[in-house]
């Protein structure tokens, strides 16, 4: 692969792993799938913008997040963005992230995800989301996680529910209606 992977979360069929510099083209390609940007507007930016974000924010902030975790420090408002990779082929098929969502009530750390149209319906998204949730609850001081999904995004709502999140309410963000869920570490 050319780069050492320092961090990954092993799931049944996939790995969640740090982004590699070689992921840029595939990541950019995924963000332009209509099935993804329909539900994640704003992710389908120009290649130049994606490259800037990828190398100057996403990869460095992943390192900061993982350093904070390894030093048992507070992750505060840091984000973690992990690629979803098939174990069998090492193909990047999506991403699973955590960060602060300002539009949500405190505590407002959320998880979010996206998977290629070519790899839906195999349980990969649920594996990824559960893997990230478990990692956060076991390795950070996070006590509550949030997730939102457009009401019309039935598969995403299903993933959130399979991960044990509880429906809280319908919220409006940028004139769109979302189902808002919470998951408490204590159950």
């Amino acid at each position: 692969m050319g780069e050492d992977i320092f961090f990954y979360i092993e799931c049944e069929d996939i790995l969640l792993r740090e982004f590699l510099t070689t992921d840029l083209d595939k990541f950019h390609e995924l963000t332009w799938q209509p099935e993804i940007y329909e539900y994640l507007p704003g992710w389908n930016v120009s290649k130049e913008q994606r490259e800037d974000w990828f190398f100057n924010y996403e990869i460095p902030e992943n390192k900061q997040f993982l350093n904070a975790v390894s030093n048992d420090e507070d992750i505060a408002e840091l984000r973690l963005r992990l690629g979803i990779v098939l174990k069998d082929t090492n193909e990047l098929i999506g991403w699973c992230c955590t960060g602060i969502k300002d539009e949500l009530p405190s505590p407002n750390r959320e998880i979010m995800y996206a998977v290629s149209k070519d790899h839906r319906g195999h349980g990969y998204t649920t594996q990824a989301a559960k893997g990230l949730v478990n990692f956060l609850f076991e390795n950070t001081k996070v006590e509550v996680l949030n997730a939102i999904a457009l009401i019309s995004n039935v598969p995403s709502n299903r993933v959130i529910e399979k991960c044990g999140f509880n429906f809280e309410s319908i919220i409006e963000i940028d004139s769109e209606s979302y189902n808002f869920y919470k998951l408490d570490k204590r159950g």
Side-chain angles (χ1 to χ4, degrees):
M1 250 195 293
E3 294 180 71
D4 290 326
I5 298 174
F6 297 105
F7 177 79
Y8 66 91
I9 298 169
E10 188 165 351
C11 303
E12 187 178 342
D13 302 303
I14 56 139
L15 293 177
L16 290 175
R17 65 152 168 79
E18 287 182 80
F19 282 127
L20 306 175
T21 58
T22 53
D23 289 332
L24 175 63
D25 290 337
K26 181 65 176 181
F27 184 50
H28 180 70
E29 175 190 315
L30 289 170
T31 64
W32 277 91
Q33 287 184 359
E35 297 82 357
I36 289 180
Y37 69 72
E38 173 185 358
Y39 296 117
L40 295 175
W43 281 69
N44 59 331
V45 296
S46 70
K47 179 73 178 273
E48 295 75 24
Q49 180 66 68
R50 175 60 56 205
E51 187 172 356
D52 176 49
W53 287 350
F54 198 70
F55 291 112
N56 295 316
Y57 300 98
E58 294 165 348
I59 290 176
E61 195 168 18
N62 280 349
K63 298 283 187 213
Q64 290 176 306
F65 186 104
L66 295 168
N67 283 337
V69 170
S70 69
N71 293 321
D72 201 28
E73 297 169 357
D74 188 7
I75 57 172
E77 295 192 7
L78 292 172
R79 297 179 183 280
L80 179 64
R81 301 164 185 95
L82 301 173
I84 301 172
V85 177
L86 290 176
K87 281 185 183 178
D88 291 347
T89 63
N90 207 30
E91 179 186 358
L92 178 71
I93 62 167
W95 60 89
C96 192
C97 311
T98 182
I100 300 300
K101 180 88 171 155
D102 292 329
E103 297 87 348
L104 299 178
S106 186
N108 56 348
R109 178 162 292 280
E110 75 161 342
I111 65 157
M112 60 81 53
Y113 42 78
V115 168
S116 168
K117 66 181 177 10
D118 303 320
H119 296 284
R120 294 191 175 163
H122 301 285
Y124 302 144
T125 311
T126 301
Q127 288 180 42
K130 283 182 177 179
L132 184 56
V133 165
N134 290 339
F135 172 78
L136 291 168
F137 283 161
E138 292 171 9
N139 297 284
T140 72
K141 294 174 177 66
V142 170
E143 296 287 327
V144 176
L145 287 168
N146 299 301
I148 61 171
L150 286 166
I151 291 171
S152 61
N153 190 345
V154 175
S156 189
N157 282 284
R158 239 185 276 129
V159 166
I160 293 167
E161 291 165 0
K162 285 181 189 174
C163 291
F165 283 78
N166 297 305
F167 176 80
E168 293 287 315
S169 64
I170 295 174
I171 62 171
E172 296 285 323
I173 299 174
D174 297 330
S175 302
E176 297 269 14
S177 294
Y178 291 83
N179 287 326
F180 169 49
Y181 301 86
K182 278 190 173 188
L183 180 63
D184 192 302
K185 179 179 181 174
R186 294 178 302 261

